[in-house]
Amino acid sequence: MPDSPRPSRFRVIVDADACVPPEVRAALNIAVTPAEPELLLDRVPIPRLALERGPFEAADIAAACAAAAEPGEGVLYIRTGDGHGSPDDAPEAARAAVEARGATFRLVETEGALMGAGWAAIVAAEVARDGGDIETAAAAARGAAGRTRVMAMLEHPEVVGLIAPSLYVTPARMVTTLDGTVVTTLAALPKRPDALIALRDRFAIEVRAEGGRPRVAILHSSSGPAAEAMAQWGAKHLDLAEVVIAPITRHEGARLGPGFLALAWLRAE
């Protein structure tokens, strides 16, 4: 089906599991699906979280996209790619629902987890705010997704299927990269403070090597003080363009576990 002409106005909608900070969403008029995601602010037993591991229904995502659509305008859907939140049939269901409202639909497949998709949504919404069209916003979102990296400390790596690297040592925490559905272990440490320091130092090495001034999101599940401390350290020791903090959704917490902390940074062009 050929794409319809580019509309002069459009709305950005992103999967809630991208975990764009609520205040940023409000400032840039970004919609999320589901519309009112529950955040993982307190420790929740892993067995209880495990009950929420399934993806959202495509019909619910389509309904959220349709709710953001206005006749003659457009919807730009930014999709996460972690294999957890958005089912494979969601994009076409969303397209049909939006076009039934007389609006234009565009899709950006980020293949990213958390703010690997979230930064793409923010950049697209900034294009909308500044008067750009939906095609320009989609291109900017794809570029942002390609420049975003996510590094995390997993308090409970067993939740994502990671095991200790040795039969004789059982570290409880792992520093990893999150690249869509792929979780790669960078370090394994027994103590949480050491794991957080390893995350911080590895992030600093990467940022300094890349150059430029990245925009950084610090994401956490029930780890607000650690996120604040990480933000303060980054502001003091690194040349960062922006730092935002956000708890992850309870649904994403079912994939990544409680006590989680991640750094997602958008490299400068």
Side-chain angles (χ1 to χ4, degrees), residues 81-83 111-113 178-183 255:
D82 61 4
E111 299 182 358
L178 302 181
D179 186 13
T181 61
V182 179
V183 182
R255 177 190 181 223

Side-chain angles (χ1 to χ4, degrees), residues 17-24 113-120 122 147-153 178 199 203 207 213-220 226-228 230-232 234 238 240-248 260-267:
D17 283 352
C19 303
V20 178
E23 64 276 13
V24 176
L114 299 168
M115 285 288 284
W119 280 119
I122 289 171
R147 300 196 315 275
T148 302
R149 297 190 60 198
V150 183
M151 191 179 294
M153 189 283 291
L178 302 181
L199 171 66
F203 165 70
V207 166
R213 303 183 67 232
R215 303 171 74 175
V216 182
I218 303 176
L219 304 151
H220 69 92
E228 291 286 352
M230 192 72 76
Q232 292 174 13
L238 298 171
L240 307 178
E242 178 182 359
V243 180
V244 297
I245 298 174
I248 66 174
F260 163 92
L261 191 138
L263 296 153
W265 68 101
L266 172 62
R267 291 173 287 173

Side-chain angles (χ1 to χ4, degrees), residues 104-221:
T104 295
F105 179 82
R106 295 290 186 272
L107 170 69
V108 172
E109 295 271 17
T110 67
E111 299 182 358
L114 299 168
M115 285 288 284
W119 280 119
I122 289 171
V123 167
E126 289 171 343
V127 171
R129 176 199 62 194
D130 296 341
D133 61 40
I134 196 169
E135 307 295 357
T136 303
R142 293 185 185 99
R147 300 196 315 275
T148 302
R149 297 190 60 198
V150 183
M151 191 179 294
M153 189 283 291
L154 301 177
E155 179 83 0
H156 295 280
E158 71 277 7
V159 173
V160 296
L162 297 181
I163 60 173
S166 167
L167 294 176
Y168 306 101
V169 179
T170 309
R173 287 93 185 172
M174 292 188 185
V175 178
T176 69
T177 57
L178 302 181
D179 186 13
T181 61
V182 179
V183 182
T184 303
T185 301
L186 302 176
L189 300 108
K191 296 182 180 179
R192 178 179 174 86
D194 293 339
L196 288 171
I197 290 172
L199 171 66
R200 180 198 73 188
D201 291 349
R202 188 69 176 252
F203 165 70
I205 289 170
E206 297 286 345
V207 166
R208 287 168 177 152
E210 291 166 357
R213 303 183 67 232
R215 303 171 74 175
V216 182
I218 303 176
L219 304 151
H220 69 92
S221 62

Side-chain angles (χ1 to χ4, degrees), residues 1-7 73 95 99 103-106 134-135:
M1 179 184 298
D3 285 329
S4 54
R6 62 183 67 184
E73 298 186 3
R95 177 185 292 275
E99 292 181 348
T104 295
F105 179 82
R106 295 290 186 272
I134 196 169
E135 307 295 357

